[in-house]
Structure formats: structure tokens, C-alpha cells
């Protein structure tokens, strides 16, 4: 196939994330999956655009801001940085990031609304119905049972009546059915297609698209008492980010090729409301809406109150970005629900990354170094390849096509499985050809052929794995002795054996050191315990006793120098409400004021503490106790004097100024 006939245009979007909270694994998952798809398409040479962003209007944001004593935009500006930072950490290659509070979005939303009012597809009416505030959705009587709880989130509904603009969704029922009958791939997976079709067939009602009760939203053109319904506002981001209604080149290339990736909970907004609005505007509906499943954690629903929310920053920090990316993409058939467990992640790292992929690279490079001083044999040796060599080459080439077909169906796990079949075949080839027996001075070049075949397989592996784990792919590429980055490769040019000139391999650090499970388990248990303590500080004592019972392994001076310990003066002490053991200590650190929450209340009165110069570990990551952010930890000795636990704070002479460093 020539590059030209195969070249596509590919515009891919993630949902835009609410900024009322910090990002978790669910947000990371969608974005990582989109990133892998976008990178894959760039590698194919496709004209690719990848958009993500944040959903910043609506009741949720207004309420979250009120709770924190901020204006909504202050909250948005703060939380949006968490998302941007996370995408940087996770190597997300988005081309654009849209915020719905940006002018480029606001004016398009108002334009949509204006046009739809002019065409009569938006009209004024009165809404009376059951409203779910957290979901920001009205439910018709028919969908609400006697218990009056939200059919989606199961929280109580409120009866509301308000003047509202409506979108004539009912008018588009037949057009939607016709469209989806003609385009069965427009909603994937198939089970979601069936679900949406039966929802549409059950009858669509007009949709309330404005609110008078909400201030934090985009004002309706010509009627400031109303703000645009946050879901309509949010959906329009996909189009405002590519320059509509000016319709320049970005618009022309993107819009006819748009694919939306969403979680299963928001499929209807994307496959019923959104295409109907687009039809009403005379625009094409999305080429595809793909709904992925949801993650549970260790078999349990993820929730803040359970304290089991998976923090993607933490996972990337502990296991590395690529291990985390690989795990979420490989573990679960894309589209299904999945269960997150760190042990499952560790097992995947050990078996797939350390063992299968890492070993193939290590064994190959070791042999090239040992038998050929690191220098690659010339590609002319391929002329004398035998069947076993050609079979592996054919597999490498067909893996590319196989993965391509799976990526077309958004089967990311399937694509990875196909790639690991190639990796497995590479390892088996080593076992079968037994290069170490071919020896150093092999006259008929068998050894050259085997080494070069393996090296070529690894070159393909680096390129094929790059969309999923870009950083690792770049490391493999470099160890193979190649210049540039796999992200710059375009696959019509990959030709097997294309290499001319001299290449020297550069064996480097092991890609994924094996994780020792018993050791890992100790750290894991300590983290789980700390999490419990954060939820319930009473567990703190138990945790620290268990911790002290063990001696710790030796450390380097560098480990110690990571700790920033300073003198702090206790300025005032407050008891923390509903927490018998906690004090909030207000400290003077010389260069700034600090708050530390500490479970020492049962040992000291405030008078014992005020004015003391204590030692504080001040570069500890912040943690929250009963809603109060604690920034650091005070140092104290702890013992049992026979009557119970006693504590003595580490203090210094009064002559020391606050902020003095401790070495
Ligand atoms: N703001 C809307 C989307 C508007 S798009 C025009 C929204 N935001 S969200 O931040 O609440 O959720 C974003 C995505 O995260 C959704 O696709 C949702 O499915 C996904 N997830 C939230 N929790 C999840 C899991 N536990 N597992 C997987 N994905 C989950 O909805």
C-alpha cells in the first residue's frame, strides 16, 4: 500500500475534565488511550490532531469554589494546572488544550445558541421536572421512580420548575436512527451502539438547554438571565478548538474526521445530544464515539470517602510513567470495565516489560557486543537468510499491519498483544538458533544473520511500542545505536534491512528492573497504612509503632541530604475539631509561616508548646488531616515508660533563629 492511498486524517478528542477536583486514574486513562492512538496515527503519517481540555462552567465548579472561599475562575485557574502538569508527566502529546472559559470557546457557544434560536431549533418554554444537581441533569417523570433518586448517580433529586430554553431534540430522532443505521461503526463498542439505538428508539424529548438558577456559565445571547446548559457549552469545545465558525484549514481537515473518546457514563451526551445539535447546525456528526469502561480499585468502587482513589502522579512516581501507561492499556480489553491493583501492575511489569521485552533487548545487545564488538553486520547478509530468519522477518512486518487493524478499532490491548507475540517469537528465535553455539568466527555468516535479524526485530519493536510507552521506545532506539527518536519515524519508510553504514549498539541501563515482590509488599503496606492514617488519624499511633518495630536498611548520605530539616518556632496552637488527638500548630519558619497538623494533643497542653523552638522536616509533601493541609512533620522521640507512650519533642536552644538548617 502506498503512503498516499493509506493516509488518513484523524482528529481525536478526550472529554474535557471538570475542574472541581484533582485528576485521578479515570481521567488519566482516557487521555493515555487517546495519546497512544494519536501517536499511532502520527506514525502512520496521518494528518493528526489531538485535543484535550477542561470543562469549567456549571454548578459543580461554582459550589466547589464557594466551599473553598474562592471565585469560580480562581478555582479553575488553580485546578487546570494539575491537569496540565499531569499531561506533561504522562508524556501526553496533545496538540491543543482548550478551557471553556476561554474567549475562543465562549463566542462559538453563543454563536451556536444564536443560530439555533434563529432556526427555531431552540425555543423558550417552561421546565418542570426532577433535577440532579451533581449530574446537572433533568430527568423526565417517566425515568424517575417513587424513591426520587437520580437514575445515574443515585443521589436525591429536587423538583424544579423554571423558564428555560429548549433544544428540539425530538425532531432529530429519525435522522439519528437513519444516521446510525447507515454508520454502525459510529458508536463503539457494539454493545454501546445497541444501548444508544434502543434509547433513541424509545423516544427523544426536547432538552432544556439554559438555566436561570446558575450564574457561573455563558450568558445566552440576548437574554442575560439565562446561562447556557453546561453540557451544551462543554460539547461545543470540540468545535470551538478547531476554529469554527471561521472554517479555516484546521477546521476543514479536522471536522470531517472527528472521533470522540469518552467514558461509558457520558456516551449519550456524545451520541444523542451532540450529533443532533450538529445536524441542526448543518454540520456532520462525529465519525465515531468510542466509550471505554470504568476502573474499580481492588474490586471496589473508587471513592474519596473510601480513600482508594488512584492518583496517577503517585503511580508514575512509584512505578514510572511507562509502566503505568502500559498497565492501563494492556490490562483490560479496551471498552470493558477493569480492576486496578498495584500487584497486577507489578506482575505486568515483571512479566511483560522486564522479562519479555527487556530480555530480548539485553540478550541481543549482549551478543552483538560479545561476538561482534558492538558493531552491526552489514544488511547484505540477509541474502543468505534461511526459513527460520525469514519467518521472523515476515512476522515483524505483518505485526505492523495486524496492530494497525486493531488500532483502527481502538483495540489498544489487542494491538499490544499482537506486539508481544512478536517479542515472544524473538525470544524463541534466540532459544532455537542458539547463537552462542554459532561461535565467534562463524564462516557461513549464520551468526551475522541471526544477530541482525534480532536487531531488526528490536528496531520494529521500538517503533511499534512507541505510541504506548514513548520514553521506553526512545531508550530502546538509543541502545540499538540509532539516532533520532522513534516518534520521528513514519512507517512507510521502515523497510526491513534498510540500514546502510555502520551502526554501533550501545547497551545501556536495564529498561525495567524486576520488582522484588516481597520487598515491594513492605512499601506497599506502609503506603496503604499511611492512607488509612490520612483518613483516620487515630490509626497513626498504630502505624508508627509498627514502623518503629523494624530497623531500617542503610542509606547513603545523599538519601539523608534530601531531607530539609529546620528550626521552627511554635507561635500558636489550636485544637482540631472532632479529632481528639490532633493539634494544628502555627509555626514561624523564619522565611515563612507554616501549618503542621500533629497527633500530639494527648501529650501536651498548648502552653507546653507555644514559644518552643522545635525541629521540623519541612520538605515533606503536604497531607490533609480533617480538611486541614499539613506542610511538614515535627521531630520527636517516642517511647513507652511502662505506663504508656511518652513523647519528647526535638528542640534547640532559644538562641537559634527560626529557619536555621539542621544537618
Ligand atoms: N466534563 C464532563 C465531560 C464533558 S465532555 C464534553 C465530565 N468530566 S469528568 O471529569 O467527570 O469525567 C471525565 C471522564 O473521566 C469521563 O469520560 C469519565 O468516564 C471518566 N472517568 C471518571 N471516573 C472513571 C473511572 N473510575 N474509570 C474510568 N474512567 C472514569 O464528565
Amino acid at each position: 500500500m502506498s503512503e498516499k492511498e493509506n493516509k488518513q486524517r484523524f482528529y481525536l478528542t478526550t472529554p474535557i475534565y471538570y475542574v472541581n477536583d484533582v485528576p485521578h486514574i479515570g481521567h488519566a486513562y482516557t487521555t493515555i488511550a487517546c495519546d497512544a492512538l494519536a501517536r499511532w496515527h502520527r506514525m502512520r503519517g496521518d494528518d493528526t490532531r489531538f485535543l484535550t481540555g477542561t470543562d469549567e462552567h456549571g454548578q459543580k465548579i461554582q459550589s466547589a469554589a464557594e466551599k473553598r472561599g474562592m471565585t469560580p475562575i480562581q478555582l479553575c485557574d488553580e485546578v487546570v494546572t494539575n491537569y496540565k502538569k499531569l499531561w506533561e508527566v504522562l508524556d501526553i502529546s496533545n496538540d491543543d488544550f482548550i478551557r471553556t472559559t476561554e474567549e475562543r470557546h465562549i463566542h462559538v457557544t453563543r454563536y451556536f445558541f444564536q443560530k439555533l434560536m434563529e432556526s427555531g431549533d431552540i425555543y423558550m418554554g417552561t421546565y418542570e421536572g426532577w433535577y440532579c444537581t451533581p449530574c446537572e441533569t433533568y430527568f423526565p417523570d417517566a425515568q424517575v421512580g417513587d424513591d426520587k433518586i437520580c437514575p445515574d448517580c443515585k443521589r436525591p433529586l429536587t423538583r424544579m420548575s423554571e423558564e428555560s430554553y429548549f433544544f428540539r431534540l425530538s425532531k432529530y430522532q429519525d435522522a439519528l436512527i437513519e444516521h446510525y443505521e447507515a454508520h454502525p461503526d459510529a458508536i463503539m463498542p457494539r454493545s454501546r451502539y445497541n444501548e444508544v439505538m434502543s434509547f433513541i428508539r424509545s423516544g427523544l424529548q426536547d432538552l432544556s438547554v439554559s438555566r436561570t438558577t446558575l450564574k457561573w456559565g455563558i450568558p445566552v445571547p440576548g437574554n442575560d438571565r439565562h446561562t447556557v446548559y453546561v453540557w451544551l457549552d462543554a460539547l461545543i469545545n470540540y468545535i470551538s478548538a478547531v476554529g469554527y465558525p471561521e472554517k479555516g484549514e484546521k477546521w476543514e481537515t479536522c471536522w470531517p474526521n472527528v472521533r470522540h473518546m469518552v467514558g461509558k457514563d457520558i456516551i449519550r451526551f456524545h451520541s444523542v445530544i451532540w450529533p443532533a445539535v450538529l445536524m441542526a447546525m448543518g454540520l456532520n456528526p462525529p465519525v465515531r464515539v468510542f466509550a471505554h469502561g470504568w476502573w474499580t480499585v481492588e474490586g471496589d468502587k473508587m471513592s474519596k470517602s473510601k480513600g482508594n482513589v488512584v492518583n496517577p502522579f503517585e503511580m508514575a512516581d512509584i512505578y514510572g510513567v511507562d509502566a503505568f501507561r502500559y498497565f492501563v492499556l494492556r490490562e483490560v480489553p479496551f471498552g470493558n470495565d477493569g480492576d486496578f491493583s498495584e500487584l497486577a501492575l507489578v506482575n505486568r511489569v515483571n512479566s511483560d516489560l522486564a522479562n519479555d521485552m527487556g530480555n530480548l533487548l539485553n540478550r541481543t545487545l549482549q551478543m552483538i557486543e560479545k561476538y561482534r564488538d558492538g558493531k552491526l553486520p552489514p544488511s547484505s547478509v540477509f541474502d543468505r537468510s534461511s526459513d527460520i530468519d525469514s519467518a521472523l522477518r515476515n512476522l515483524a512486518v505483518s505485526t505492523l499491519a495486524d496492530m494497525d487493524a486493531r488500532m483502527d478499532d481502538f483495540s489498544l490491548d489487542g494491538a499490544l498483544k499482537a506486539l508481544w507475540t512478536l517479542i515472544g517469537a524473538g525470544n524463541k528465535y534466540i532459544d532455537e538458533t542458539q547463537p552462542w553455539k554459532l561461535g565467534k568466527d562463524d564462516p557461513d555468516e549464520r551468526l551475522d544473520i541471526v544477530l541482525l535479524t534480532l536487531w531488526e526485530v528490536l528496531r520494529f519493536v521500538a517503533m511499534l511500542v512507541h505510541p504506548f510507552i514513548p520514553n521506553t521506545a526512545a531508550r530502546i532506539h538509543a541502545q540499538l545505536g540509532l539516532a533520532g527518536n522513534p516518534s520521528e519515524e513514519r512507517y512507510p519508510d521502515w523497510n526491513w534491512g534498510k540500514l546502510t553504514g555502520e551502526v554501533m549498539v550501545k547497551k545501556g541501563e536495564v529498561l525495567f528492573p524486576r520488582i522484588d515482590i516481597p520487598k515491594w509488599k513492605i512499601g506497599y503496606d506502609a503506603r496503604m497504612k499511611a492512607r488509612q492514617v490520612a483518613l483516620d488519624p487515630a490509626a497513626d499511633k498504630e502505624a508508627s509503632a509498627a514502623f518503629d518495630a523494624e530497623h531500617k536498611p542503610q542509606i547513603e548520605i545523599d538519601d539523608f541530604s534530601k531531607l530539609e530539616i529546620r528550626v521552627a518556632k511554635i507561635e500558636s496552637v489550636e485544637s482540631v475539631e472532632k479529632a481528639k488527638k490532633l493539634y494544628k500548630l502555627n509555626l514561624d519558619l523564619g522565611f515563612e509561616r507554616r501549618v503542621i497538623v500533629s497527633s500530639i494533643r494527648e501529650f501536651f497542653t498548648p502552653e507546653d508548646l507555644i514559644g518552643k523552638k522545635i525541629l521540623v522536616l519541612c520538605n515533606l509533601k503536604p497531607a490533609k488531616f480533617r480538611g486541614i493541609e499539613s506542610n511538614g512533620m515535627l521531630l520527636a522521640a517516642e517511647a513507652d515508660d511502662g505506663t504508656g507512650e511518652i513523647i519528647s519533642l526535638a528542640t534547640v536552644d532559644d538562641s537559634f533563629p527560626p529557619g536555621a538548617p539542621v544537618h
Side-chain angles (χ1 to χ4, degrees):
M1 55 196 161
S2 81
E3 180 180 358
K4 212 166 182 184
E5 62 189 316
N6 201 28
K7 191 171 157 123
Q8 294 177 8
R9 283 177 168 154
F10 191 76
Y11 172 38
L12 182 65
T13 69
T14 72
I16 48 171
Y17 303 108
Y18 287 128
V19 285
N20 57 334
D21 213 344
V22 290
H24 58 62
I25 185 178
H27 310 121
Y29 184 46
T30 325
T31 314
I32 291 172
C34 286
D35 186 60
L37 284 161
R39 286 176 184 270
W40 183 269
H41 281 271
R42 285 192 202 107
M43 179 168 87
R44 286 176 46 109
D46 294 343
D47 207 336
T48 305
R49 193 163 183 86
F50 167 23
L51 173 73
T52 188
T54 40
D55 190 351
E56 304 192 356
H57 292 122
Q59 190 61 50
K60 277 189 216 289
I61 316 296
Q62 188 173 298
S63 309
E66 273 162 18
K67 255 194 214 147
R68 294 189 48 193
M70 298 166 114
T71 63
I73 193 67
Q74 278 172 339
L75 177 78
C76 296
D77 287 345
E78 185 188 298
V79 180
V80 76
T81 58
N82 292 328
Y83 280 96
K84 289 189 169 171
K85 179 85 204 132
L86 181 61
W87 305 151
E88 232 177 272
V89 167
L90 295 180
D91 277 332
I92 303 300
S93 64
N94 54 303
D95 298 293
D96 194 357
F97 187 106
I98 187 154
R99 303 178 55 181
T100 53
T101 47
E102 284 171 328
E103 187 44 45
R104 63 169 169 160
H105 172 76
I106 292 170
H107 90 257
V108 180
T109 304
R110 287 169 62 90
Y111 177 88
F112 253 67
F113 213 96
Q114 178 73 40
K115 285 279 163 207
L116 293 173
M117 283 197 290
E118 284 166 17
S119 68
D121 275 325
I122 285 184
Y123 61 92
M124 177 64 99
T126 312
Y127 197 92
E128 195 180 331
W130 293 101
Y131 187 71
C132 175
T133 310
C135 296
E136 307 196 46
T137 308
Y138 269 108
F139 293 94
D141 291 340
Q143 272 188 46
V144 177
D146 291 339
D147 46 7
K148 309 296 178 232
I149 58 167
C150 171
D152 286 345
C153 75
K154 315 286 177 223
R155 280 179 275 209
L157 295 165
T158 318
R159 188 79 185 165
M160 299 248 281
S161 157
E162 61 175 317
E163 176 191 273
S164 170
Y165 287 95
F166 283 83
F167 171 65
R168 262 182 231 288
L169 185 59
S170 56
K171 178 176 153 190
Y172 293 91
Q173 177 167 337
D174 294 341
L176 285 170
I177 294 174
E178 207 176 297
H179 170 71
Y180 286 129
E181 279 174 348
H183 300 94
D185 284 349
I187 302 171
M188 285 177 79
R190 190 71 192 173
S191 56
R192 300 287 165 211
Y193 174 88
N194 294 335
E195 176 193 314
V196 170
M197 280 302 253
S198 68
F199 176 74
I200 301 173
R201 288 198 175 105
S202 74
L204 297 181
Q205 308 216 352
D206 291 355
L207 176 77
S208 162
V209 287
S210 75
R211 299 285 179 266
T212 48
T213 41
L214 177 73
K215 293 268 155 318
W216 182 237
I218 299 178
V220 164
N223 189 350
D224 279 2
R225 288 201 321 110
H226 289 253
T227 51
V228 177
Y229 172 44
V230 65
W231 263 102
L232 179 61
D233 164 357
L235 288 161
I236 292 171
N237 91 86
Y238 301 131
I239 217 162
S240 57
V242 286
Y244 183 84
E246 281 78 28
K247 301 195 178 174
E249 198 203 325
K250 201 164 30 166
W251 163 261
E252 301 287 346
T253 52
C254 289
W255 197 250
N257 304 293
V258 61
R259 284 138 172 105
H260 300 308
M261 174 80 76
V262 299
K264 63 179 183 180
D265 53 320
I266 56 175
I267 181 91
R268 280 187 201 166
F269 292 102
H270 286 81
S271 58
V272 181
I273 299 173
W274 181 226
V277 168
L278 289 165
M279 285 174 180
M281 291 293 287
L283 299 168
N284 68 282
V287 175
R288 178 180 295 170
V289 178
F290 190 104
H292 65 67
W294 268 44
W295 287 97
T296 49
V297 179
E298 313 272 2
D300 220 352
K301 195 170 177 255
M302 194 163 71
S303 89
K304 264 205 211 159
S305 55
K306 288 190 189 131
N308 65 350
V309 176
V310 178
N311 174 353
F313 284 108
E314 189 190 3
M315 291 303 105
D317 195 34
I318 297 174
Y319 299 105
V321 175
D322 280 356
F324 179 61
R325 284 179 66 119
Y326 178 78
F327 176 76
V328 295
L329 296 176
R330 173 64 184 81
E331 187 68 2
V332 179
F334 201 64
N336 292 6
D337 290 338
D339 186 49
F340 184 87
S341 106
E342 289 189 40
L343 180 59
L345 188 155
V346 167
N347 283 330
R348 279 262 170 230
V349 170
N350 281 349
S351 70
D352 299 10
L353 299 175
N355 213 34
D356 300 342
M357 192 170 72
N359 273 349
L360 180 63
L361 181 71
N362 273 350
R363 293 163 91 190
T364 303
L365 296 190
Q366 238 158 31
M367 291 189 293
I368 298 178
E369 288 190 340
K370 183 164 173 199
Y371 301 127
R372 293 292 181 261
D373 295 324
K375 195 169 148 202
L376 216 60
S379 55
S380 54
V381 299
F382 278 145
D383 296 346
R384 283 177 294 283
S385 291
S386 51
D387 286 351
I388 187 171
D389 317 313
S390 312
L392 188 57
R393 180 199 62 204
N394 293 342
L395 182 64
V397 175
S398 66
T399 298
L400 194 160
D402 193 0
M403 288 177 76
D404 208 22
R406 290 166 196 254
M407 292 299 269
D408 265 348
D409 288 343
F410 289 13
S411 169
L412 294 129
D413 57 296
L416 283 170
K417 266 188 219 147
L419 179 53
W420 255 255
T421 303
L422 173 64
I423 291 173
N427 278 317
K428 190 158 163 250
Y429 175 82
I430 301 183
D431 299 340
E432 285 176 359
T433 53
Q434 303 189 316
W436 51 92
K437 283 199 180 153
L438 296 174
K440 211 170 177 173
D441 308 310
D442 176 23
D444 69 359
E445 298 177 315
R446 274 303 297 151
L447 183 59
D448 277 349
I449 297 169
V450 169
L451 294 180
L452 193 60
T453 300
L454 285 167
W455 185 90
E456 277 291 27
V457 166
L458 281 160
R459 183 169 70 94
F460 270 56
V461 167
M463 292 185 290
L464 293 170
V465 88
H466 147 262
F468 306 88
I469 45 175
N471 185 31
T472 305
R475 290 167 64 204
I476 300 176
H477 207 249
Q479 294 200 25
L480 291 176
L482 292 164
N485 186 298
S487 64
E488 292 147 16
E489 300 281 344
R490 295 291 170 260
Y491 79 36
D493 319 322
W494 288 4
N495 311 336
W496 182 273
K498 77 166 185 178
L499 221 83
T500 51
E502 301 193 336
V503 172
M504 293 291 294
V505 302
K506 290 185 209 120
K507 194 165 168 301
E509 264 177 38
V510 171
L511 295 178
F512 290 92
R514 268 191 81 78
I515 300 173
D516 179 297
I517 302 221
K519 262 197 206 150
W520 163 84
K521 184 82 174 54
I522 294 170
Y524 174 79
D525 288 344
R527 271 190 295 118
M528 292 305 118
K529 195 87 205 177
R531 232 190 241 178
Q532 266 180 16
V533 171
L535 273 183
D536 171 16
D540 196 8
K541 234 165 83 179
E542 203 187 314
S544 58
F547 202 62
D548 280 358
E550 301 160 16
H551 288 285
K552 291 167 193 153
Q554 281 193 335
I555 58 167
E556 300 290 337
I557 184 79
D558 279 348
D559 293 322
F560 182 75
S561 62
K562 285 185 193 149
L563 308 181
E564 190 186 343
I565 302 174
R566 288 180 187 272
V567 174
K569 182 172 172 196
I570 303 179
E571 301 229 283
S572 61
V573 178
E574 297 161 49
S575 301
V576 175
E577 252 180 69
K578 294 193 202 130
K580 296 202 296 286
K581 306 192 181 213
L582 295 185
Y583 271 143
K584 178 180 166 202
L585 306 176
N586 299 303
L587 305 178
D588 176 6
L589 258 177
F591 54 96
E592 66 175 45
R593 296 263 183 301
R594 280 277 177 119
V595 170
I596 286 186
V597 178
S598 180
S599 51
I600 53 171
R601 185 153 144 202
E602 50 179 320
F603 304 105
F604 304 101
T605 65
E607 289 68 32
D608 293 333
L609 298 169
I610 293 168
K612 277 230 162 75
K613 299 265 180 76
I614 58 167
L615 298 187
V616 168
L617 174 62
C618 46
N619 61 336
L620 188 69
K621 283 188 184 154
K624 273 204 175 151
F625 298 95
R626 301 274 153 154
I628 306 171
E629 189 171 286
S630 176
N631 277 284
M633 197 167 77
L634 49 81
L635 303 188
E638 202 178 61
D640 193 333
D641 70 352
T643 62
E645 197 186 4
I646 51 167
I647 271 192
S648 169
L649 296 183
T651 54
V652 292
D653 287 351
D654 205 31
S655 58
F656 275 83
V662 177
H663 304 292

